[in-house]
Amino acid sequence: MTPEQRAAEFDAADPLAAFRERFILPEGVIYLDGNSLGALPKATPETMQRVIGQEWGEGLIRSWNSAGWFAAAHRIGAKIAPLIGAGAQEVIACDSTSVNLFKLIAAALQMRPGRKVILSEPGNFPTDLYMIAGLKRQGLADRRLAARERLTQALDEDVALLLLTHVHYKTGQMHDMATLTRAAHEAGALVLWDLSHSTGAVPVDLRGADADFAVGCGYKYLCGGPGAPAFAFVADSHHSDLGQPLTGWFGHAAPFAFSDDYKAAPGIEQLLCGTSPVLGLAALEVGVDLIAEIGVTRLYQKSQALSEFFLACLAAHGIALECVSPPESTARGSQLSFRHPEAYAICQALIARGVIGDFRDPDVLRLGFAPAYLSFANIAAAARHLVEVLDGGEWQHEQFSQRAVVT
Ligand SMILES: *Cc1c(COP(=O)(O)O)cnc(C)c1O
């Protein structure tokens, strides 16, 4: 049987096949970058038209109350919560992932007086490491990096916080959240998980792992649109002693009392800083509703099946590429990354054929498998394109080596 014939069988048996219709996907494109910018849900343009035309245009400022604008950050947080094993009162949609990292790293430092070290791993997503650098410049933090096999040995009485990305953005490697959280707690440290490449693709159990904090992205698997608001999780046991530093009026216990003195809201709302980005939240909510409707268990099953099928297609074509993602599907997120010295040009040659993946410096071709809208036929076709690009040396064309700003 050819990969295309097998794909047809898998698609016919796919319980998520119908959800593909709920997205707008351009003709002739195979989209393997939903881990970087999720596809557009069909309902998003209609919703945006309503929010802009009616809620803003006609409701004007009344819509803060009547259209639920003020409650949106909390309401959407509560909808994200079941996707990450959190309670509805523990998650809020706000700011960017970077800003949420800053707030929670600073809060953790304050909760562990006498400890200044933030422990992470080399090669963590840049913004996670840069946010530590900013707090270091303020004299508040020190940075310690340890390779993933040595993280537990690097935990000592100086570590205030263990900061890790659950699914690695470049390799797709997944950390054992429960084990590392326990080890950090035994050393007296708190834990902050970056769920940007996990949420909406792989199951996460923050409560089961007893995690302290988490952040994550709204525009990747959650399909919230470019630059969508992010989210933050704080275990409810920490709500009373949090002390995040960006004490803006939306995080105040009574923002419309207009008091001269700051008093943090008692719950997760204390993570808010300024006025919520209503339009961004409206688009995010459509994506979150759709991903929540599909459910993380089914998404994960399909994600594993898609990546396994891609590897099987490459094998069927006799292609041996160095895969830097873990070979067992249970040890990785919803992506496969391949190392090749000409990864950039290969990626560009694929894009020219309508197969959109991305490149991560210095030599990684990264293919994301967003389970909500990819078909097995897409996977078989993408594998065939990759084989043709490699076999024909198509990537050697000069135009494919010019680096763009965003890779
Ligand atoms: C995408 C991503 C981010 C994004 O942060 P922004 O503030 O939205 O730019 C952060 N961390 C990780 C691990 C990511 O993959």
Side-chain angles (χ1 to χ4, degrees):
M1 215 189 291
T2 65
E4 282 73 13
Q5 287 164 334
R6 294 201 64 201
E9 287 189 4
F10 286 146
D11 280 326
D14 175 12
L16 304 194
F19 283 102
R20 199 176 154 75
E21 295 302 310
R22 307 272 295 273
F23 293 87
I24 294 172
L25 294 161
E27 202 65 38
V29 164
I30 297 173
Y31 193 54
L32 303 184
D33 219 355
N35 52 331
S36 208
L37 174 64
L40 170 65
K42 258 189 194 148
T44 305
E46 301 153 28
T47 299
M48 296 312 285
Q49 220 158 17
R50 173 175 52 76
V51 172
I52 293 171
Q54 290 166 34
E55 296 182 7
W56 177 12
E58 292 168 29
L60 291 165
I61 202 159
R62 293 170 292 190
S63 290
W64 278 104
N65 292 313
S66 62
W69 287 359
F70 192 75
H74 199 153
R75 182 176 71 240
I76 299 166
K79 291 176 175 183
I80 294 171
L83 298 171
I84 54 175
Q89 305 299 312
E90 296 176 313
V91 185
I92 193 141
C94 60
D95 297 315
S96 63
T97 305
S98 302
V99 172
N100 289 332
L101 282 164
F102 182 86
K103 289 183 284 189
L104 292 177
I105 298 168
L109 285 163
Q110 203 184 41
M111 287 165 67
R112 288 292 179 272
R115 296 178 177 227
K116 274 178 80 172
V117 171
I118 312 299
L119 175 61
S120 191
E121 62 175 326
N124 193 358
F125 192 81
T127 214
D128 299 56
L129 300 179
Y130 301 165
M131 285 298 154
I132 305 173
L135 285 155
K136 185 167 179 218
R137 211 152 61 181
Q138 303 284 317
L140 297 170
D142 286 324
R143 185 179 87 166
R144 181 182 297 168
L145 302 182
R148 57 178 56 205
E149 322 62 67
R150 303 192 48 83
L151 279 167
T152 47
Q153 290 103 295
L155 284 161
D156 61 22
E157 63 285 351
D158 294 326
V159 177
L161 179 74
L162 174 62
L163 166 60
L164 292 172
T165 300
H166 179 228
V167 170
H168 196 274
Y169 76 99
K170 201 185 284 188
T171 64
Q173 281 174 292
M174 187 156 45
H175 277 297
D176 181 341
M177 181 180 283
T179 302
L180 282 163
T181 301
R182 195 176 322 114
H185 287 169
E186 278 164 12
L190 296 158
V191 184
L192 166 48
W193 288 101
D194 187 330
L195 304 177
S196 292
H197 282 276
S198 310
T199 313
V202 304
V204 175
D205 188 4
L206 289 171
R207 278 199 157 168
D210 196 25
D212 302 288
F213 308 117
V215 296
C217 206
Y219 51 81
K220 292 173 177 160
Y221 294 104
L222 293 181
C223 300
F231 66 86
F233 157 90
V234 176
D236 53 14
S237 56
H238 294 318
H239 287 188
S240 56
D241 56 356
L242 192 63
Q244 67 96 351
L246 301 186
T247 48
W249 72 306
F250 258 53
H252 194 280
F256 289 88
F258 293 100
S259 160
D260 284 348
D261 298 307
Y262 183 79
K263 181 169 179 282
I268 193 72
E269 292 85 353
Q270 67 188 288
L271 276 190
L272 295 175
C273 180
T275 306
S276 292
V278 173
L279 301 181
L281 286 171
L284 173 62
E285 189 162 19
V286 177
V288 169
D289 280 339
L290 183 45
I291 293 301
E293 181 187 338
I294 305 173
V296 76
T297 307
R298 292 197 293 176
L299 286 163
Y300 184 51
Q301 275 166 0
K302 182 162 173 195
S303 133
Q304 290 184 297
L306 290 170
S307 60
E308 288 294 285
F309 182 53
F310 188 81
L311 291 173
C313 290
L314 290 187
H317 291 297
I319 282 283
L321 265 178
E322 185 192 350
C323 184
V324 293
S325 305
E328 326 78 54
S329 65
T330 50
R332 62 178 186 246
S334 203
Q335 71 182 69
L336 287 170
S337 300
F338 299 94
R339 187 174 287 141
H340 192 288
E342 298 299 336
Y344 185 79
I346 293 168
C347 182
Q348 294 306 306
L350 283 171
I351 291 173
R353 284 166 168 259
V355 180
I356 304 179
D358 63 21
F359 165 79
R360 287 295 174 259
D361 209 52
D363 57 2
V364 169
L365 171 68
R366 188 175 72 155
L367 304 178
F369 302 101
Y373 43 85
L374 283 177
S375 66
F376 289 87
N378 286 157
I379 300 300
R384 192 172 287 279
H385 281 297
L386 177 56
V387 169
E388 287 172 6
V389 163
L390 289 169
D391 282 353
E394 193 172 310
W395 51 271
Q396 292 168 23
H397 293 192
E398 204 181 323
Q399 82 261 28
F400 295 141
S401 60
Q402 307 295 328
R403 291 265 178 119
V405 182
V406 176
T407 63

